[in-house]
């Protein structure tokens, strides 16, 4: 294998799940050049991995609003030229949708993808040279790694490596946790309580109990949001809670840096929660409108994927998970 192209254009959590595939390929083909096609809004994610040579940007979300505009046509022509510049030993569509097939069909190389029963949009499977069957009901990280293993012909023995060492936080802390609290910025928890739809949210009363528990453990709270409306909703949620900061929408790299320094992270089933787990932070995912059978958290530290579609966890389950994630946490004055 000399040159490989991965196609996974979106979304945040799903792209996080593909990062270990880059590490797997590097482990088995250390001299290979790996390029990655990604939606422009998420192009930072593959660029985080040191094994990715070039991120090739697409802009479906922007282009579809004005597909035939001259400037959009020029961008699509430039993409076509870039995709045809190299012959790839393997072009692997890791998304299985017609929009990614549109990209794959412009490349030179042997095209791999999911088969009819595995692809999210089965029609996409008709356009691959090699099709692979992957079990649907399993965590996203495992699905993507299995697809990579079948396409490139290697086995999966090592634990997933997300390639995010650049975000490792190794501060020179005093010996005791209490001294660290007194001499440096207070340790903090990151909270992601917002969702695009109301049915995906967790009960406000439960969040308030979580806030109180984390504050008793001496943690400041950093609440993140994905849009202006979510920012405003989060502000109302934390009203009256001390030691909490609601952060406006941030760039992906800035969010990753914030998560990398967190003592613990709690969030709904969102891309940021999966990013926290990938960064090796203790992470608790709260599932209310999706199932962890397919989207469970995978990371190198403690993770808990609580609840299920239509069956949100109660506070007691989350409380116990926080205690496990924190370990023998020292209760500090707040």
């Amino acid at each position: 294998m000399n040159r490989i192209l991965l196609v996974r254009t979106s979304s945040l959590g799903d792209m996080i799940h593909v990062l270990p595939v880059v590490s797997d390929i590097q482990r088995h083909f250390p001299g290979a050049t790996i390029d990655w096609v990604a939606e422009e809004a998420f192009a930072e994610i593959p660029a985080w991995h040191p094994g990715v040579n070039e991120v090739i940007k697409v802009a479906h979300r922007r282009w579809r609003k004005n597909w035939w505009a001259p400037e959009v046509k020029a961008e699509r022509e430039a993409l076509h030229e870039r995709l045809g510049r190299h012959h790839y030993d393997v072009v692997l569509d890791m998304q299985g949708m017609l929009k990614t097939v549109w990209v794959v069909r412009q490349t030179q190389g042997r095209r791999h993808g999911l088969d009819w029963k595995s692809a999210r949009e089965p029609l996409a499977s008709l356009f691959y040279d090699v099709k692979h069957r992957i079990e649907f009901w399993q965590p996203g990280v495992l699905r993507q790694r299995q697809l990579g293993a079948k396409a490139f012909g290697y086995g999966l023995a090592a634990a997933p490596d997300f390639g995010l060492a650049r975000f490792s936080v190794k501060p020179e802390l005093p010996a005791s946790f209490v001294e660290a609290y007194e001499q440096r910025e207070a340790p903090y928890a990151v909270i992601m309580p917002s969702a695009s739809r109301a049915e995906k949210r967790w009960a406000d009363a439960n969040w308030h109990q979580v806030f109180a528990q984390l504050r008793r453990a001496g943690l400041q709270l950093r609440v993140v949001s994905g849009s202006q409306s979510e920012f405003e909703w989060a502000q109302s949620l934390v009203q009256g809670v001390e030691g909490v900061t609601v952060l406006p929408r941030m760039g992906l790299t800035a969010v990753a840096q914030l998560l990398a320094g967190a003592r613990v992270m709690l969030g709904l089933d969102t891309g940021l929660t999966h990013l926290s787990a990938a960064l090796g932070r203790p992470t608790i995912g709260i599932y209310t409108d999706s199932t962890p059978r397919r989207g469970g958290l995978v990371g190198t530290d403690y993770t808990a994927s609580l609840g299920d579609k239509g069956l949100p966890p109660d506070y007691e389950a989350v409380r116990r998970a926080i205690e496990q994630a924190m370990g023998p946490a020292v209760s500090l004055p707040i």
Side-chain angles (χ1 to χ4, degrees), residues 75-119:
E75 289 185 48
R76 289 190 280 111
E77 289 175 348
L79 172 65
H80 179 74
E81 186 278 329
R82 172 59 192 84
L83 290 172
R85 190 179 302 167
H86 300 292
H87 182 277
Y88 291 97
D89 296 290
V90 170
V91 177
L92 177 55
D93 184 352
M94 309 201 72
Q95 198 154 344
M97 298 178 68
L98 292 176
K99 71 176 183 179
T100 50
V101 164
W102 178 80
V103 171
V104 168
R105 295 295 293 176
Q106 299 181 66
T107 64
Q108 299 183 60
R110 193 162 178 78
R111 300 154 181 164
H112 291 244
L114 296 163
D115 72 3
W116 182 273
K117 291 188 176 181
S118 307

Side-chain angles (χ1 to χ4, degrees), residues 22-64:
V22 178
S23 300
D24 293 339
I25 295 170
Q26 281 194 302
R27 188 177 300 113
H28 293 89
F29 305 101
T33 297
I34 305 171
D35 296 333
W36 185 327
V37 180
E39 183 74 27
E40 60 182 2
F42 301 107
E44 291 174 73
I45 298 170
W48 292 338
H49 198 299
V52 174
N53 171 64
E54 181 182 359
V55 181
I56 303 169
K57 298 179 184 179
V58 298
H60 281 124
R61 296 186 177 190
R62 178 167 53 83
W63 291 345
R64 67 190 178 194

